[in-house]
Amino acid sequence: MNVLSTCAASACQQAVCRALCSVVTKGNIVGVPVGTHPYHKFEIMKWNGWGYSDSRFLFNKKGQAEFTGKRYRLSGMIIPGLKDWFEGTFGANLQHKTPPTPLLTNTAVPPATLNEAFVEEVKSTGIPFSHDAEDRVFRAHGHCLHEIFALREGKIGRVPDMVVWPSCHNDVVKIVQLACKHNVCLMPYGGGTSVSSALECPPEETRSIVSLDTSQMNRILWIDEKNLTAHVEAGIVGQDLERLLNESGYCTGHEPDSMEFSSLGGWVATRASGMKKNIYGNIEDLVVHIKMVTPQGVIEKSCQGPRMSTGPDIHHFIMGSEGTLGVVTEVTMKIRPMPEYQKYGSVVFPNFEQGVACLREVAKQRCAPASIRLMDNEQFKFGHALKPQVSSIFTSFLDGLKKFYITKFKGFDPNHLCVATLLFEGNREKVLQHEKQVYDIAAKFGGLAAGEDNGQRGYMLTFVIAYLRDLGMDYYVIGESFETSVPWDRVLDICRNVKARIIRECKDKGVQFPPLSTCRVTQTYDAGACVYFYFAFNYRGLSDPVHVYEQVEHAAREEILANGGSLSHHHGVGKLRKEWMRDTISNVGMGMLKSVKDYVDPNNIFGNRNLL
Amino acid sequence: MGTIVLFTPLKLFDPMLKKRDDFEDILEERRTSSDLRYALRCYTPVLYKGVTPCKTSVLKSMVLQSDQLHYVINQVSKESGRAADDVREEASAILEEMAHSLQLSTVRFFAFMLSKVFKTLFRSICVNEEGIQRLQQAIQEHPVVLLPSHRSYMDFLLMSYILYTYDVALPVIAAGMDFMGMKFVGEMLRMSGAFFIRRSFGGDKLYWSVFSEYVKTMLKNGYAPVEFFLEGTRSRTSKSLTPKLGLLNIVMDPFLKGEVFDVNVVPVSISYERILEESLYARELLGVPKPKESTSGLFKARKVLSEDYGSIHVYFGQPVSVRSLAEGRVNRCQFNLVPRHIPRRPSEEIQSFVNDSAYRLVRAQEENMVLKPWVLLASLLLQNHHQNRAAGQKPGMALDELTTQAVWLRDVSRQYGAFLHWPDHTSPSEVVSSGLSLHRALVRVCEGRVQLAVEQEEELLSQAVVVLSCASYRNQMLHVFVRPALLASAIHIASSNQKRKTDVFNSFSFLRNMFSSEFILCPGATVQDFEEACYLLVKTGVLQVTQQEVLVTERGHRTLAFLTSMLDPFLQGYQVVCRFLCEEDTETLTEKQFIPAVRKFIVNHLLAGRLRYAEVLSSDLQKNALAALQRLGAVRKIKGYLVKIQHFLTQL
């Protein structure tokens, strides 16, 4: 997510920022209110799509694609190649539009079933709450395709009956006690970026459902420079956390693709993974201490020792519990001094096989940069289509020259070549040394260095892709991404088979146009990799496109599992992938998790019914 | 019977719904244009996803460097204490002995030679072009396995010849090592795409590993379609043989382990109007040992060149996707926990899946076998031969009687779904006489009566050669009638007039179980087979089936009689084998000695007139009967000796 202009856009900006910060705050920051996230999120964010209301893709009157707003690097730019790519890839047509229902009509929202006694007692605690339709609808969904599709059609299912905004750990304790007392169903809500149907209200739930929105618990409570840790309230959103830490010269380095909106508590509850995990680690490596409020009381460890041999790590009951056990309120996290130097890079490979072989070698030598990602040919073309308009003739001339060199001089087939994007971080000298090491390995696999620009654009694709889905949905195109982790020897097989399965299923299910079925390897580990699949198709001529979409995604997941892939690398299980849990973790495993749930939450107060 | 659930919609049994492609004669063009030009023409087949064919040496080194082989070499080295290099040398030698070295020049040579030979031997070679198109398509999309039926040495040359003709990628073919004995020809075959495997290598890990890796490497990369014979060997009886699973296991493995998205298997049915090895097979079945394949023997066989062998029909069936076969049957996650290159014995789930698939594929071959009118004549003449002999009547049947019966049987077999090639624009009598004249070695027309070319005074074995040859043609239509015939026999057995459905089903099930090595009967499909047989016999007005009872209609007797007499030789044969085991002292009998001993016993029975079917002398039937008795628990093999379970045998 480094390309966000809202945070850490360029090294230069950061330097300025850092200089200022060091003057203003020397020492620990305590209780800085943030306030980028108001109570009523829909005031700045879309209620039926991804991200900020002011930022979206559209085809202007000339038929050119542009990205609106001022927040991102791409904002305000024309993207000349997108229209042709869009029409060519999907068989879509700008004449055939499927605009969303513009406004949320309150009549579509089911009336709130309130537990009066509970409401009264909450009122007496002074914790803010709401039962406005907008607030409730906003917290009734994540960003699965079917959820967004329904919203665009103005269809609203079961939504929370009430939203509460605790502002600290003690508020949460009170709310959980009251919920237990009055038998109310609580559903924790962080950033709302779930893609596992985790936020969907179970339709069979008869109790009053209360959405517990952690967004006001967003302070860094202290920073411990001796131990390099920070104690943070769990409702803080990724970009705020990074920005605030940057002000003191630190960072967590945890940058999931959703970091603009997703929250620390959400990361813990889903076992999140960040782009730069090669340096900083995934969430399980980053947390030192977790505090969670459960119906049985508060669970936490007594000290902050860096590693303990005290039986099974209780953090691992919390991480990945997906809101079924309680609310994570405060987390102590490792922090690092901000990197002195950052450099993007990219390598072009003649084909995907060579690319994977290179990533494998990099992993074997344990010299992976902060981030290394390999896009397949379709995604390379996609990335290409997202190149913004270049102003100078010189740049476009250079581009042409580069293309000529790679395809004609080096003999790469434009329909097979693929590209790896790289991000190096650290002190300047080491970065350059590291860069050379990686490029030397790449050369052994036929890789050619292809410049910083391509690398940076690759990372840009990550955050705009969610906005692009909304554009597609304006023109009969629906799609989604999903991920898995898989041993190295299976990577090529799983990529090939899952992509082929998607194409085959689309055909079988009557999709009239060839789908976009593409993948990339986004993380490397010692023993395997994380693979992301993107899948989208033009649904003209289908009577129930979402159902078709779901069938195809289901088949794709079956294919992933049959090819030795995991049920999820970091998205989590939610309700979307529950059916495969038993096969994934065995009967005994299910029993263990169930017994924990039964002890911690016997009355199913945290009744979102995820995971089990 | 109420307990039997129907799991197949009846409509699926209806053979009349089968759609089949038309044929084109590929020899026609050969007769009008230059063979040399044909042999030298531009040949540019399309391969899987546009891969380029790879050199033999590259292929070999891919195999030798594979993870699987590497693993097994180390394992063998550790177990045997031999140096790894030494084992690797051995592996390399095995590969040298095995590998094909397909060369276009050799293929062109064959194309030229075979054009000449085929034009002399055959009237036509008919191929369904739509099948070729489907194959062409399949080759581009997925790795392809070709599974032709195996009735003649000719089969694989013929296959390659056809594929060359249609510009389809040439296959690599698994051939038995015995071919290698024929020095020059062996190498020629190797250069035309054959690779050679030992007939048995049971415990040899290294051999198995080289072999399976070699096949998988070719298949996975799509360098060439892999061709092998599911039946393992040529069927000497024209009945399909129980499928062998080794190679099918190997070619399915890359799909099951996720190394390819899918594998397409294409059953190919090759039907010969007259089989080149006709009497050779009969002799072999009668115990005259088969001549060892040798080059000189092949040249001696030149006299066959002067004869007319009618036409050949080659039907390329619908490609079968292994992925769809495995859908819902195999949990592919079972390969997740052990590295895929470590060889493991297939799980029970996989074994039963491969076995069921193999049966389905053999049935798919059978379904598209073209039957010539002669097949009907052979069946009728054979039945007549035995009936007359039993009744002591004049041998043979009047020509017009034969024609009428043949027309009746033509209609019946069509109703049962036979792929019958009966020329519609020719009068029945012409069709009959043309069939008879092609097979004049087996039949004789004398004073307007047609009879098998068997002289009463001839030696029994010479008579048997003719009977067995005829039986092999009758056998070609067994797959059409076997299920109804089993039902007909079951009805026949149920003694009383009132045929209770449960009794009939039990007899059917018993017979089916007994004959499961004799005919292609999918394991575990008893109920489906019963339903299918009932459906066909009801549809053709032979039976009425109610909840409780099975009733034979007035006009059904004729069909029923035909069906029971079709199965009768087999029933009698099994009974004789049974009697042999009961009466003879078998305590010292090894399996090897069984065939000569039982043959002697049968000869005595035949000579004494206690048995009328000379075809019981077929060693194939005897072996199958023994296998059936072992399966039913009446005989056991202990330390190579046959031990009978007396009370069981007497019961049977």
Side-chain angles (χ1 to χ4, degrees):
Chain A
M1 288 308 309
N2 261 55
V3 216
L4 292 184
S5 57
T6 45
C7 72
S10 66
C12 155
Q13 248 178 352
Q14 281 172 9
V16 173
C17 179
R18 208 161 48 238
L20 282 173
C21 291
S22 58
V23 179
V24 178
T25 54
K26 188 90 181 152
N28 299 348
I29 312 165
V30 180
V32 178
V34 180
T36 45
H37 290 279
Y39 291 78
H40 308 294
K41 287 190 175 182
F42 50 87
E43 283 163 9
I44 57 159
M45 290 174 71
K46 298 192 191 81
W47 70 277
N48 61 356
W50 179 258
Y52 298 108
S53 306
D54 55 18
S55 302
R56 57 185 292 248
F57 281 98
L58 52 81
F59 288 112
N60 62 24
K61 286 187 186 112
K62 285 187 208 155
Q64 285 174 314
E66 63 177 83
F67 192 53
T68 64
K70 292 195 184 81
R71 293 173 188 269
Y72 298 92
R73 225 180 133 87
L74 206 60
S75 296
M77 292 211 196
I78 301 282
I79 304 118
L82 190 58
K83 174 172 176 274
D84 284 347
W85 177 86
F86 184 69
E87 292 186 333
T89 305
F90 296 108
N93 187 318
L94 298 196
Q95 309 304 316
H96 299 135
K97 291 197 70 170
T98 42
T101 310
L103 289 171
L104 175 64
T105 44
N106 283 357
T107 49
V109 183
T113 330
L114 293 175
N115 183 318
E116 293 302 339
F118 174 79
V119 178
E120 280 312 307
E121 290 214 46
V122 169
K123 205 178 271 174
S124 70
T125 61
I127 298 169
F129 67 93
S130 154
H131 29 80
D132 285 354
E134 281 95 340
D135 289 325
R136 290 161 53 217
V137 168
F138 198 89
R139 285 158 189 82
H141 67 87
H143 285 270
C144 287
L145 175 88
H146 67 269
E147 294 172 315
I148 300 301
F149 197 92
L151 288 175
R152 287 171 61 96
E153 302 238 291
K155 285 183 192 146
I156 314 286
R158 177 84 157 98
V159 303
D161 300 296
M162 176 175 165
V163 182
V164 290
W165 284 274
S167 53
C168 63
H169 171 78
N170 286 337
D171 282 357
V172 176
V173 173
K174 282 180 210 155
I175 294 167
V176 173
Q177 274 168 357
L178 291 178
C180 291
K181 183 174 167 195
H182 299 288
N183 194 23
V184 159
C185 172
L186 286 181
M187 284 179 61
Y189 180 91
T193 56
S194 151
V195 282
S196 59
S197 299
L199 291 169
E200 249 171 49
C201 296
E204 65 270 37
E205 182 59 68
T206 52
R207 296 172 296 182
S208 179
I209 299 179
V210 175
S211 176
L212 191 154
D213 184 324
T214 59
S215 62
Q216 306 312 306
M217 297 163 50
N218 54 18
R219 294 165 300 175
I220 294 176
L221 297 176
W222 46 256
I223 291 175
D224 177 348
E225 286 173 310
K226 291 206 175 69
N227 293 308
L228 287 180
T229 54
H231 192 64
V232 188
E233 288 184 315
I236 195 164
V237 164
Q239 58 170 315
D240 297 339
L241 176 62
E242 261 347 72
R243 196 187 58 241
L244 290 174
L245 286 174
N246 287 175
E247 284 168 10
S248 322
Y250 294 106
C251 66
T252 64
H254 184 69
E255 297 185 7
D257 291 354
S258 59
M259 72 173 288
E260 290 171 276
F261 308 110
S262 58
S263 68
L264 172 55
W267 300 338
V268 171
T270 57
R271 298 182 61 85
S273 168
M275 179 179 93
K276 299 196 291 195
K277 72 93 193 156
N278 292 335
I279 293 183
Y280 300 96
N282 286 318
I283 197 72
E284 67 272 21
D285 310 309
L286 285 165
V287 294
V288 175
H289 184 268
I290 305 173
K291 201 190 263 186
M292 178 166 81
V293 181
T294 77
Q296 289 284 22
V298 175
I299 177 172
E300 63 180 319
K301 290 186 189 173
S302 68
C303 68
Q304 304 196 57
R307 182 184 186 275
M308 302 182 200
S309 174
T310 49
D313 191 339
I314 55 162
H315 283 174
H316 286 285
F317 289 118
I318 299 169
M319 283 186 290
S321 60
E322 302 193 0
T324 58
L325 299 178
V327 187
V328 176
T329 52
E330 288 169 18
V331 178
T332 308
M333 257 183 120
K334 296 181 197 170
I335 55 171
R336 299 288 307 164
M338 283 175 69
E340 178 186 302
Y341 185 64
Q342 268 196 341
K343 193 173 181 192
Y344 288 99
S346 66
V347 181
V348 183
F349 292 98
N351 56 46
F352 192 64
E353 288 75 11
Q354 296 280 71
V356 170
C358 172
L359 260 63
R360 205 279 161 267
E361 185 58 31
V362 165
K364 195 187 255 174
Q365 297 193 17
R366 292 200 171 166
C367 63
S371 168
I372 176 166
R373 290 176 168 180
L374 179 74
M375 301 190 252
D376 70 359
N377 183 260
E378 288 83 3
Q379 237 172 85
F380 164 75
K381 288 177 181 163
F382 179 28
H384 219 67
L386 281 174
K387 260 189 174 175
Q389 200 161 32
V390 280
S391 39
S392 95
I393 300 171
F394 182 67
T395 349
S396 76
F397 171 73
L398 265 185
D399 280 350
L401 213 62
K402 261 189 252 165
K403 197 175 158 191
F404 178 81
Y405 175 73
I406 286 173
T407 59
K408 295 293 183 304
F409 191 72
K410 281 288 171 180
F412 284 19
D413 180 346
N415 289 315
H416 284 127
L417 61 80
C418 73
V419 62
T421 59
L422 311 166
L423 172 62
F424 297 91
E425 245 184 49
N427 76 46
R428 196 183 147 84
E429 202 180 318
K430 276 196 182 136
V431 162
L432 296 178
Q433 205 183 337
H434 194 178
E435 192 186 20
K436 183 173 180 315
Q437 187 187 6
V438 172
Y439 283 136
D440 284 350
I441 294 174
K444 283 190 197 140
F445 296 91
L448 293 174
E452 288 183 63
D453 225 36
N454 279 319
Q456 197 161 6
R457 206 172 40 251
Y459 288 98
M460 174 177 77
L461 210 138
T462 302
F463 78 87
V464 295
I465 196 149
Y467 284 103
L468 268 171
R469 181 170 79 177
D470 290 338
L471 176 74
M473 287 170 93
D474 288 338
Y475 297 93
Y476 281 99
V477 173
I478 52 176
E480 179 103 275
S481 61
F482 41 87
E483 41 72 35
T484 186
S485 55
V486 64
W488 277 115
D489 72 312
R490 292 269 198 173
V491 170
L492 282 176
D493 289 331
I494 208 170
C495 291
R496 176 198 340 101
N497 291 349
V498 172
K499 288 198 286 182
R501 178 77 181 262
I502 287 171
I503 292 169
R504 158 99 154 250
E505 292 288 333
C506 281
K507 203 172 156 196
D508 289 354
K509 303 283 178 301
V511 176
Q512 309 280 314
F513 304 86
L516 173 71
S517 174
T518 146
C519 71
R520 65 183 185 188
V521 180
T522 60
Q523 290 289 7
T524 63
Y525 291 87
D526 286 348
C530 168
V531 179
Y532 238 91
F533 294 95
Y534 291 89
F535 147 51
F537 63 88
N538 181 343
Y539 67 85
R540 284 192 70 207
L542 295 180
S543 59
D544 191 349
V546 171
H547 182 61
V548 169
Y549 168 79
E550 284 171 340
Q551 284 177 307
V552 178
E553 191 192 326
H554 189 272
R557 182 57 63 182
E558 295 266 335
E559 193 63 35
I560 286 173
L561 298 175
N563 282 275
S566 64
L567 188 53
S568 173
H569 170 262
H570 61 272
H571 281 174
V573 174
K575 288 177 275 284
L576 193 62
R577 287 176 275 273
K578 247 166 97 163
E579 62 179 290
W580 292 289
M581 264 304 268
R582 188 171 292 276
D583 285 343
T584 301
I585 63 166
S586 82
N587 281 328
V588 179
M590 281 295 269
M592 282 170 106
L593 295 189
K594 276 220 166 92
S595 64
V596 169
K597 166 78 179 173
D598 288 345
Y599 170 73
V600 174
D601 184 17
N603 298 317
N604 197 26
I605 296 302
F606 288 91
N608 60 18
R609 304 191 194 213
N610 290 337
L611 204 60
L612 295 175
Chain B
M1 258 319 282
T3 53
I4 291 169
V5 198
L6 206 74
F7 11 80
T8 324
L10 280 176
K11 180 165 107 201
L12 288 184
F13 297 140
D14 198 334
M16 304 298 272
L17 294 174
K18 277 178 211 146
K19 211 190 144 299
R20 281 155 179 150
D21 308 334
D22 296 329
F23 286 101
E24 290 289 326
D25 176 14
I26 58 168
L27 282 189
E28 205 173 290
E29 203 194 320
R30 293 276 48 75
R31 295 191 204 278
T32 54
S33 66
S34 152
D35 286 336
L36 194 61
R37 195 174 307 143
Y38 162 77
L40 294 176
R41 69 190 241 279
C42 168
Y43 169 73
T44 49
V46 187
L47 282 179
Y48 171 61
K49 290 190 174 153
V51 299
T52 43
C54 98
K55 279 203 199 114
T56 322
S57 56
V58 178
L59 183 65
K60 283 179 190 164
S61 73
M62 282 172 82
V63 173
L64 289 174
Q65 281 161 19
S66 69
D67 293 338
Q68 199 227 139
L69 198 53
H70 197 73
Y71 179 87
V72 172
I73 286 172
N74 284 336
Q75 199 184 24
V76 169
S77 151
K78 252 179 224 152
E79 282 169 7
S80 64
R82 288 164 55 197
D85 282 339
D86 191 31
V87 183
R88 195 168 298 116
E89 283 295 304
E90 190 191 332
S92 173
I94 294 173
L95 190 58
E96 277 314 309
E97 176 195 83
M98 181 183 306
H100 77 85
S101 54
L102 185 64
Q103 279 183 349
L104 198 54
S105 53
T106 316
V107 173
R108 292 191 191 282
F109 168 76
F110 269 111
F112 179 77
M113 290 299 286
L114 288 175
S115 295
K116 300 287 180 210
V117 174
F118 286 159
K119 280 190 285 190
T120 348
L121 287 178
F122 303 108
R123 295 181 194 173
S124 59
I125 297 176
C126 301
V127 179
N128 65 324
E129 285 192 354
E130 281 163 72
I132 294 281
Q133 280 158 21
R134 288 191 297 254
L135 173 63
Q136 189 80 274
Q137 184 70 30
I139 285 176
Q140 288 171 47
E141 286 171 4
H142 303 287
V144 164
V145 177
L146 288 166
L147 295 179
S149 60
H150 204 10
R151 302 287 174 269
S152 168
Y153 273 142
M154 210 60 145
D155 291 325
F156 81 77
L157 287 176
L158 179 65
M159 282 289 290
S160 298
Y161 183 82
I162 293 171
L163 296 177
Y164 173 80
T165 305
Y166 284 104
D167 220 21
V168 178
L170 286 172
V172 289
I173 308 120
M177 207 61 145
D178 29 9
F179 272 113
M180 281 250 301
M182 308 156 77
K183 282 174 211 131
F184 175 68
V185 174
E187 283 315 302
M188 285 293 282
L189 295 178
R190 195 193 283 282
M191 287 190 283
S192 65
F195 63 93
F196 296 99
I197 41 178
R198 298 179 191 161
R199 281 267 171 227
S200 61
F201 43 88
D204 193 338
K205 246 190 249 176
L206 188 64
Y207 190 89
W208 173 262
S209 168
V210 173
F211 165 53
S212 63
E213 193 57 36
Y214 178 64
V215 175
K216 281 190 237 176
T217 306
M218 290 186 293
L219 189 74
K220 276 192 303 202
N221 295 295
Y223 294 136
V226 173
E227 175 180 315
F228 65 92
F229 299 105
L230 205 42
E231 298 163 282
T233 181
R234 291 169 300 150
S235 164
R236 271 69 166 169
T237 58
S238 286
K239 277 183 299 156
S240 296
L241 303 177
T242 305
K244 302 276 182 293
L245 306 179
L247 258 164
L248 194 61
N249 246 315
I250 291 175
V251 297
M252 285 183 160
D253 195 63
F255 162 73
L256 294 172
K257 288 187 179 160
E259 293 166 333
V260 293
F261 181 70
D262 200 354
V263 171
N264 272 356
V265 186
V266 182
V268 183
S269 318
I270 307 176
S271 343
Y272 294 91
E273 186 167 14
R274 201 182 146 200
I275 297 166
L276 285 137
E277 294 100 324
E278 184 181 86
S279 64
L280 217 62
Y281 287 158
R283 278 174 218 285
E284 202 180 306
L285 291 170
L286 290 167
V288 186
K290 88 170 186 187
K292 205 163 179 252
E293 281 85 2
S294 69
T295 313
S296 59
L298 197 81
F299 283 108
K300 272 179 213 148
R302 254 179 42 199
K303 81 168 200 309
V304 299
L305 284 178
S306 55
E307 295 213 23
D308 178 1
Y309 286 90
S311 54
I312 305 176
H313 284 82
V314 183
Y315 194 97
F316 287 83
Q318 201 65 248
V320 179
S321 138
V322 175
R323 174 175 278 271
S324 33
L325 283 178
E327 177 89 58
R329 284 268 339 235
V330 178
N331 181 0
R332 286 183 282 151
C333 293
Q334 62 187 284
F335 299 103
N336 287 357
L337 297 179
V338 177
R340 291 172 294 170
H341 65 269
I342 298 181
R344 280 201 302 169
R345 176 168 279 286
S347 65
E348 249 171 60
E349 187 190 15
I350 302 271
Q351 281 178 28
S352 97
F353 163 69
V354 174
N355 191 38
D356 287 356
S357 308
Y359 272 88
R360 280 177 71 167
L361 291 163
V362 174
R363 275 199 77 180
Q365 282 175 355
E366 285 185 332
E367 259 173 28
N368 293 322
M369 287 290 220
V370 169
L371 306 183
K372 287 299 213 168
W374 161 249
V375 170
L376 309 183
L377 303 180
S379 318
L380 292 165
L381 287 168
L382 214 51
Q383 285 193 9
N384 172 267
H385 175 76
H386 294 306
Q387 275 153 13
N388 282 1
R389 176 172 275 206
Q393 284 167 353
K394 221 173 138 190
M397 62 203 293
L399 189 57
D400 43 342
E401 166 66 8
L402 178 63
T403 310
T404 332
Q405 286 207 26
V407 170
W408 170 79
L409 187 52
R410 173 194 71 187
D411 298 340
V412 172
S413 48
R414 278 191 176 149
Q415 282 181 311
Y416 286 72
F419 193 3
L420 187 63
H421 213 258
W422 182 291
D424 282 323
H425 305 293
T426 322
S427 75
S429 59
E430 269 175 73
V431 173
V432 169
S433 56
S434 119
L436 293 177
S437 77
L438 188 69
H439 295 274
R440 52 185 166 266
L442 302 177
V443 279
R444 204 172 39 216
V445 187
C446 169
E447 297 162 23
R449 290 178 76 78
V450 189
Q451 60 179 91
L452 297 189
V454 180
E455 301 297 341
Q456 289 299 348
E457 53 277 10
E458 250 180 343
E459 203 192 328
L460 180 63
L461 280 185
S462 321
Q463 290 185 27
V465 169
V466 174
V467 173
L468 279 182
S469 302
C470 271
S472 81
Y473 290 102
R474 177 215 50 209
N475 286 347
Q476 289 187 10
M477 60 189 282
L478 273 177
H479 71 268
V480 178
F481 289 114
V482 66
R483 275 154 269 269
L486 285 170
L487 181 56
S489 304
I491 291 168
H492 191 71
I493 291 167
S495 50
S496 64
N497 268 347
Q498 272 200 323
K499 319 277 190 190
R500 283 181 46 219
K501 202 172 170 184
T502 2
D503 296 339
V504 173
F505 177 77
N506 289 337
S507 309
F508 176 88
S509 166
F510 172 77
L511 287 174
R512 188 186 176 281
N513 188 12
M514 190 167 71
F515 284 131
S516 62
S517 330
E518 193 73 47
F519 311 117
I520 297 299
L521 296 161
C522 303
T526 312
V527 177
Q528 274 144 297
D529 282 350
F530 183 72
E531 298 289 351
E532 186 179 331
C534 284
Y535 174 79
L536 288 169
L537 287 175
V538 169
K539 192 192 82 156
T540 49
V542 174
L543 293 184
Q544 282 175 341
V545 180
T546 65
Q547 277 293 348
Q548 305 294 332
E549 271 184 315
V550 177
L551 300 166
V552 182
T553 63
E554 200 54 46
R555 64 195 179 96
H557 286 290
R558 184 179 183 185
T559 312
L560 230 43
F562 173 80
L563 290 174
T564 36
S565 9
M566 182 173 247
L567 221 51
D568 202 39
F570 296 97
L571 265 174
Q572 300 283 336
Y574 277 50
Q575 264 167 14
V576 165
V577 172
C578 224
R579 196 169 308 138
F580 163 77
L581 288 167
C582 283
E583 291 173 10
E584 295 293 299
D585 175 29
T586 61
E587 295 309 312
T588 54
L589 203 60
T590 62
E591 214 183 350
K592 239 186 188 157
Q593 294 158 335
F594 166 76
I595 295 287
V598 77
R599 184 180 292 134
K600 211 169 126 198
F601 183 82
I602 293 170
V603 167
N604 288 337
H605 267 64
L606 283 165
L607 290 174
R610 286 194 295 266
L611 180 68
R612 45 180 163 152
Y613 298 115
E615 64 175 287
V616 173
L617 282 168
S618 155
S619 58
D620 180 65
L621 183 143
Q622 293 151 7
K623 278 179 205 155
N624 291 338
L626 183 62
L629 291 173
Q630 283 181 11
R631 200 174 45 245
L632 295 173
V635 176
R636 246 181 248 152
K637 210 171 18 176
I638 298 175
K639 289 179 191 161
Y641 290 98
L642 298 173
V643 177
K644 51 193 176 187
I645 314 297
Q646 196 71 42
H647 66 277
F648 252 121
L649 273 174
T650 9
Q651 263 179 15
L652 289 170

